[in-house]
Amino acid sequence: MKRIALINDVTGYSRCSIAAQLPIISAMGIECVFVPTAILSVNTMHPEYYFDDYTDRMNDYIETYKKMKVSFDGIATGFLGSERQIDIVIDFIKTFKKKHTFVLVDPVMGDHGKLYPTYTTAMQDKMRQLIPYATIMTPNLTELCALLEVSYPHDIINRDELIEMCRQLSNLGPQMVVVTGISIGDEIINFAYEQGKEPAIIKVKRIGDDRSGTGDVISGVIAGSYLNGLNFYQCVEKAANFASRCIEYSQAVGAHNHLGLCFEPFLKEL
């Protein structure tokens, strides 16, 4: 049985982060072991929430896995809230990544041309230090630009520009890159790039406004599908289509946009 480590925040209510990734990847027959970066009652898009930064406890938490010599077939990282957490994640990867282990890095940094308030210049620089350890990276366009230190294109970006940006990021470490959630008209574009192959564009219909947790669902499906032997472009297509179906259902039942994707009815399809 395959095993993956999920390094992300744990949010009790809102179907995001580990609360979304764990059931999705488990439904694909993969054992999930998680390392919390923070504990939240509900995501930060809500006016009131409990937040417990787990930085000071992460090393002691991880020490158990080191002593038990736990092995992982995959490692997936998500929200990281401080420079110290990035250092802890790099140490985790150095310790647990073996020849067969792949690493998916979802650089949760910002969206719509703006970085989240927690992302200082120092945090951006530190996040770039994580790039060489990644096998797969799943940035949105804002995060891709931030990682490459280029200006965010407020006009529609073209294929050649995306290829060049993905090539630059890939040259720093990850063999595979998918730029997620590019909104063009009534479509959402996911631009997949793999070294040595022609890029692929996976399109889905845009449904409603942005929905919290979509990136976690997409990265979870990609990670699980890759562990189960699908090639990278198949993983991206499966993830985009699964997320789109969940969003369509969430919209139909009137689920609040900040309470994530209603993925539960579709887990058996994974």
Side-chain angles (χ1 to χ4, degrees):
M1 191 173 188
K2 299 289 180 66
R3 180 185 298 122
I4 188 170
L6 305 176
I7 307 175
N8 208 339
D9 66 86
V10 176
T11 301
Y13 180 43
S14 62
R15 297 186 185 93
C16 65
S17 308
I18 287 173
Q21 292 177 326
L22 190 149
I24 284 170
I25 297 173
S26 295
M28 289 189 265
I30 297 162
E31 180 186 1
C32 295
V33 176
F34 65 82
V35 177
T37 60
I39 309 293
L40 292 90
S41 56
V42 68
N43 69 43
T44 57
M45 299 301 292
H46 295 265
E48 293 185 11
Y49 53 87
Y50 171 81
F51 179 93
D52 181 20
D53 182 349
Y54 215 65
T55 304
D56 290 339
R57 294 177 285 284
M58 286 178 69
N59 279 323
D60 290 339
Y61 185 105
I62 292 167
E63 188 63 26
T64 302
Y65 301 151
K66 290 182 177 180
K67 289 178 179 177
M68 293 179 70
K69 301 188 186 314
V70 181
S71 63
F72 298 103
D73 302 286
I75 299 168
T77 76
F79 172 77
L80 302 175
S82 67
E83 296 171 62
R84 283 178 57 204
Q85 287 193 354
I86 296 172
D87 282 329
I88 291 168
V89 168
I90 289 173
D91 177 71
F92 185 95
I93 294 170
K94 287 179 177 178
T95 301
F96 292 101
K97 187 180 187 301
K98 308 304 179 187
K99 187 175 182 180
H100 72 282
T101 311
F102 87 93
V103 177
L104 184 150
V105 173
D106 184 7
V108 184
M109 301 169 69
D111 206 353
H112 301 297
K114 296 181 180 180
L115 295 184
Y116 300 132
T118 54
Y119 264 82
T120 62
T121 301
M123 272 287 286
Q124 291 181 58
D125 292 340
K126 182 63 72 171
M127 181 57 77
R128 293 186 192 105
Q129 294 179 23
L130 193 52
I131 297 173
Y133 298 95
T135 311
I136 298 172
M137 289 194 74
T138 61
N140 60 34
L141 187 56
T142 300
E143 293 156 350
L144 178 63
C145 291
L147 291 169
L148 295 177
E149 298 182 272
V150 300
S151 298
Y152 180 80
H154 290 281
D155 295 325
I156 295 176
I157 190 166
N158 65 47
R159 181 177 182 274
D160 290 341
E161 291 172 321
L162 282 169
I163 290 173
E164 177 57 23
M165 294 172 75
C166 288
R167 185 192 65 78
Q168 290 179 33
L169 183 62
S170 185
N171 284 344
L172 298 175
Q175 300 167 5
M176 293 157 277
V177 176
V178 55
V179 188
T180 61
I182 304 171
S183 183
I184 301 178
D186 62 352
E187 292 181 321
I188 298 293
I189 307 297
N190 297 279
F191 188 84
Y193 174 95
E194 183 172 359
Q195 290 178 5
K197 295 185 178 180
E198 279 294 309
I201 295 175
I202 294 92
K203 300 178 181 180
V204 294
K205 182 181 177 181
R206 181 175 183 85
I207 304 168
D209 295 327
D210 291 351
R211 191 168 284 274
S212 300
T214 303
D216 297 308
V217 169
I218 287 175
S219 62
V221 175
I222 290 174
S225 300
Y226 193 74
L227 272 181
N228 280 340
L230 296 188
N231 69 49
F232 179 56
Y233 293 169
Q234 289 173 328
C235 294
V236 175
E237 183 174 18
K238 182 176 179 179
N241 289 335
F242 180 80
S244 181
R245 179 159 179 166
C246 296
I247 291 170
E248 184 177 28
Y249 177 79
S250 302
Q251 194 83 356
V253 300
H256 195 286
N257 285 348
H258 296 327
L259 291 177
L261 280 62
C262 301
F263 55 76
E264 295 88 348
F266 309 107
L267 287 175
K268 291 181 180 179
E269 299 178 7
L270 290 168

